[in-house]
Each structure stands twice: as structure tokens, then as C-alpha cells.
Amino acid sequence: MGEQPIFSTRAHVFQIDPNTKKNWVPTSKHAVTVSYFYDSTRNVYRIISLDGSKAIINSTITPNMTFTKTSQKFGQWADSRANTVYGLGFSSEHHLSKFADKFQEFKEAARLAKEKSQEKMELTSTPSQESAGGDIQSPLTPESINGTDDERATPEVTQNSEPRAEPTQNALPFTHSSTISKHWEAELATLKGNNAKLTAALLESTANVKQWKQQLAAYQEEAERLHKRVTELECVSSQANAVHTHKTELNQTIQELESTLKKKEEEIERLKQEIENARELQAQRDSLTQKLQEVEIRNKDLEGQLSDLEQRLEKSQNEQEAFRNNLKTLLEILDGKIFELTELRDNLAKLIECS
């Protein structure tokens, strides 16, 4: 056979979700063998993995591919021919580094093989052009027609943050002040919750914007290359039918890329608007925080006044209690004097009657 395995390892295999382009979908229930194959007949390198009799990876390595380490045990690469992104989860960082080194080695070998193939085709096409009296031969290769895009996709990470609990305020006897304080506390708690959500969305949006900018740059380069290729193909008159077919395919690819660019630009504008809204909410939160601090200062002043009034009330109550005690004593003395006067009156009345 012309194709033989040259390096093998074991890993968990994932593919990017074709709908969301964010979440990873496992294609194997357990770790499977992932191998590099070399086809000596066609001089190409491929990554192949089988889960039973099903091929879950069949990716041809091209010079434009890039293998990216997204964590200590996880790596990924984009395959534009298969229109997907593959991800591998390894058991250790050593296995990931070994696989990445082999990917870079075989990618460089594929680049050298492609350059040699193009040189040979140029050398063979030169004599045929002279003998054919000026007929132009276009060295079309699958790599020059299809091309690849280095796309990077990362799993979606949801960040949840909870607002810090605010200390409780002492209840005041003044209804108006207490209502204002509770209102601002509720407003601040709501704003803190919204701020946490907006911060997480802002971080995710910033990461997506950076990723999309890279993708946009890659798409623009690919579009320019395809435009140049279309121009070259239009100059080839002897291969009219083939050129027409390739031109149609390239135009369709350009339209798809332009549509993707437009969608990404609209998404970036939407994210910019969300970021602006987040900044406005942050400014509102800062303003409300300042107002809450002013209310808290006012509450402290009111608490001081309340404490002073309570001390004065207590002092007044003590004075009233002492006054009551004095009145009670005077009443007891007066009652005694009245009793004595009554006895004296009775005695005087008796003396008068006797005399």
C-alpha cells in the first residue's frame, strides 16, 4: 500500500458544532487512536482516526493549516476542506506537545512537497508551451483551487458572578429616610447584578471580536488570492471549459466569503453597541453609588441626632420620675396634715358642745 502510519497516539476527539461554531461536540465516547499517515504515491500527509469502522477524522495536512494549543491538554486545527474544526483532548501535556511537534514537522514537509510539485509542473509546462506554439498550460492543483482558512474556535465559557452583599442599615424612626435608603440599596443591588452580567458579556464579546478580526483578515487574504486566481484563469484561452468551471467555483467561494464578511461586520457593530450600552450602565452605576454614599452619610448624621434625642428623652424621663416621687411625698405629708387638722376640728367641736 502507498499510505502507511508514521506516528500514532490516543486522544478524545471533538468537532466544532456546525450551528453555533462555539461548542465542542464529542465524536468518540472514549479515547481512540489518532495517527499520521503518509501517502508516498501522492506525497501527502493525513491525520486519520477510526472509531470502530467509522472514520471520525480524515484531514489532509496543508501548508496553511495551524495546530493551536488552547490548554495544557487540548489542541485544535481547522480543516476548510471538511468545513470543520477538529479538537483533541490528551491525557497529558507531553502527548499534546508531541502531537503538535509532529503536526508542525509534517506541515513543513507538505509545504516542501508542494513547492517541489509546482517546480516540476512549471518545468514540464515550459517545453510544452514552446512546442504548442504559445498554448498556455495552467498548473491547477487542489491546494491552489480550494485553499484553506486558519479558523480558531474555542468552547463557550459562561461566567457567573454574584454581587457582593451590602451591610444592613440600622432601622431609623424617620420613615422618609428609611424609604430612601432601602430604595437606593435595591437599585444598587440590581445594578451590581446587571454589571456582573454585562462584564461577562463584555469579556466574551471582546474575545469574539478579536477572533473575528483574525478570521476577517484571513477571509480578506483568501478573497484577494481568489480574485488573482480568477484573473489568471481568465487569461487561459486553451482551457476555456475548465477555466469556466473553476471560475464559477471561485466566484461562488468569493460570494460566500463576502457574505461571511458582511455577517461578521454586522456582528462586530452589534457588539460595539453592546459595549457602549455597558459603558453607559457602568456610568449610571457609578452615579447611583455616589448618591448611595451621600444617603449613607446623611443616615449617619440622622442616627447621631436620634442618639442625642434619645439621651435627652431619657434625661427628661428621669427628671419627670423624680418630680413624681416628690409630688407623691408631698401628697402623703398633706394627707397626714389634713388628718391631723380633722382630728383637731373634731376635738374643738366636742369642746364647744361640752361648754
Side-chain angles (χ1 to χ4, degrees):
M1 295 177 63
E3 194 170 27
Q4 296 293 334
I6 51 179
F7 177 78
S8 297
T9 186
R10 292 186 66 82
H12 291 270
V13 180
F14 300 84
Q15 285 189 19
I16 202 69
D17 190 337
N19 297 323
T20 63
K21 297 296 183 182
K22 291 182 179 180
N23 300 326
W24 289 110
V25 178
T27 55
S28 62
K29 296 181 180 180
H30 49 78
V32 296
T33 301
V34 182
S35 302
Y36 286 99
F37 278 77
Y38 175 64
D39 189 344
S40 58
T41 304
R42 296 186 298 163
N43 198 18
V44 295
Y45 295 86
R46 290 200 299 164
I47 302 175
I48 297 176
S49 178
L50 300 177
D51 187 4
S53 60
K54 178 183 177 182
I56 55 178
I57 298 179
N58 186 4
S59 177
T60 301
I61 299 176
T62 64
N64 293 330
M65 285 185 176
T66 301
F67 185 82
T68 306
K69 299 178 182 178
T70 56
S71 67
Q72 294 182 349
K73 297 181 181 181
F74 193 88
Q76 65 184 48
W77 77 96
D79 189 340
S80 62
R81 296 182 179 181
N83 194 24
T84 188
V85 179
Y86 293 104
L88 296 179
F90 296 88
S91 59
S92 66
E93 185 176 1
H94 172 73
H95 290 85
L96 172 60
S97 300
K98 187 68 174 177
F99 187 90
D101 293 341
K102 290 295 182 180
F103 191 99
Q104 185 64 28
E105 177 184 345
F106 298 145
K107 170 185 171 181
E108 184 66 19
R111 184 185 66 82
L112 295 175
K114 180 180 178 181
E115 291 179 354
K116 290 181 179 178
S117 176
Q118 289 179 347
E119 290 177 358
K120 289 181 180 179
M121 294 184 70
E122 289 176 358
L123 292 175
T124 55
S125 63
T126 301
S128 62
Q129 290 175 1
E130 294 176 355
S131 61
D135 292 339
I136 301 175
Q137 299 291 333
S138 176
L140 299 176
T141 62
E143 292 82 355
S144 64
I145 294 173
N146 295 328
T148 60
D149 295 328
D150 294 337
E151 298 177 355
R152 298 181 180 179
T154 58
E156 183 177 7
V157 178
T158 305
Q159 300 178 350
N160 295 326
S161 59
E162 298 180 357
R164 184 179 60 185
E166 290 295 316
T168 57
Q169 300 293 333
N170 294 326
L172 299 177
F174 304 103
T175 305
H176 182 65
S177 175
S178 176
T179 303
I180 294 176
S181 178
K182 290 181 179 179
H183 171 72
W184 288 118
E185 285 177 358
E187 288 289 334
L188 181 61
T190 303
L191 284 171
K192 284 186 176 181
N194 293 337
N195 183 60
K197 295 177 181 179
L198 288 171
T199 302
L202 182 61
L203 293 174
E204 181 182 358
S205 300
T206 305
N208 290 336
V209 167
K210 291 181 180 178
Q211 178 183 352
W212 289 335
K213 283 182 178 179
Q214 295 176 355
Q215 292 180 0
L216 285 174
Y219 289 153
Q220 289 172 352
E221 293 176 359
E222 182 67 10
E224 291 177 359
R225 189 184 70 80
L226 291 174
H227 278 299
K228 291 179 181 179
R229 188 60 184 169
V230 169
T231 304
E232 294 175 359
L233 291 175
E234 288 176 346
C235 297
V236 181
S237 59
S238 61
Q239 302 290 336
N241 294 332
V243 169
H244 180 72
T245 302
H246 293 309
K247 179 181 176 181
T248 303
E249 294 175 354
L250 291 174
N251 286 333
Q252 183 179 1
T253 304
I254 290 172
Q255 291 177 357
E256 293 175 355
L257 289 173
E258 288 176 348
S259 176
T260 304
L261 283 172
K262 185 177 180 180
K263 291 180 181 178
K264 297 298 183 182
E265 289 174 352
E266 293 175 353
E267 186 68 12
I268 289 175
E269 290 298 327
R270 184 183 65 81
L271 291 174
K272 287 181 179 179
Q273 186 63 32
E274 290 181 357
I275 292 172
E276 186 66 25
N277 293 337
R279 289 175 179 172
E280 293 177 359
L281 289 175
Q282 180 69 22
Q284 293 178 2
R285 174 185 173 275
D286 294 339
S287 176
L288 290 175
T289 302
Q290 184 178 1
K291 290 181 180 179
L292 179 61
Q293 291 176 353
E294 294 174 357
V295 171
E296 289 177 349
I297 294 173
R298 184 179 177 185
N299 287 341
K300 289 181 180 178
D301 294 336
L302 293 174
E303 287 175 358
Q305 295 177 8
L306 176 63
S307 178
D308 183 53
L309 289 173
E310 288 176 349
Q311 291 177 359
R312 291 169 61 183
L313 178 62
E314 183 178 0
K315 183 178 178 181
S316 177
Q317 289 175 349
N318 292 334
E319 291 176 353
Q320 289 179 359
E321 186 67 25
F323 182 72
R324 288 193 189 96
N325 292 333
N326 291 332
L327 287 177
K328 187 176 181 181
T329 303
L330 289 174
L331 286 173
E332 290 175 355
I333 294 171
L334 183 60
D335 290 337
K337 294 297 182 182
I338 291 172
F339 181 76
E340 291 175 0
L341 289 173
T342 302
E343 289 181 347
L344 179 60
R345 178 184 173 281
D346 293 337
N347 292 329
L348 289 174
K350 289 178 179 180
L351 288 174
I352 291 170
E353 290 176 357
C354 292
S355 64

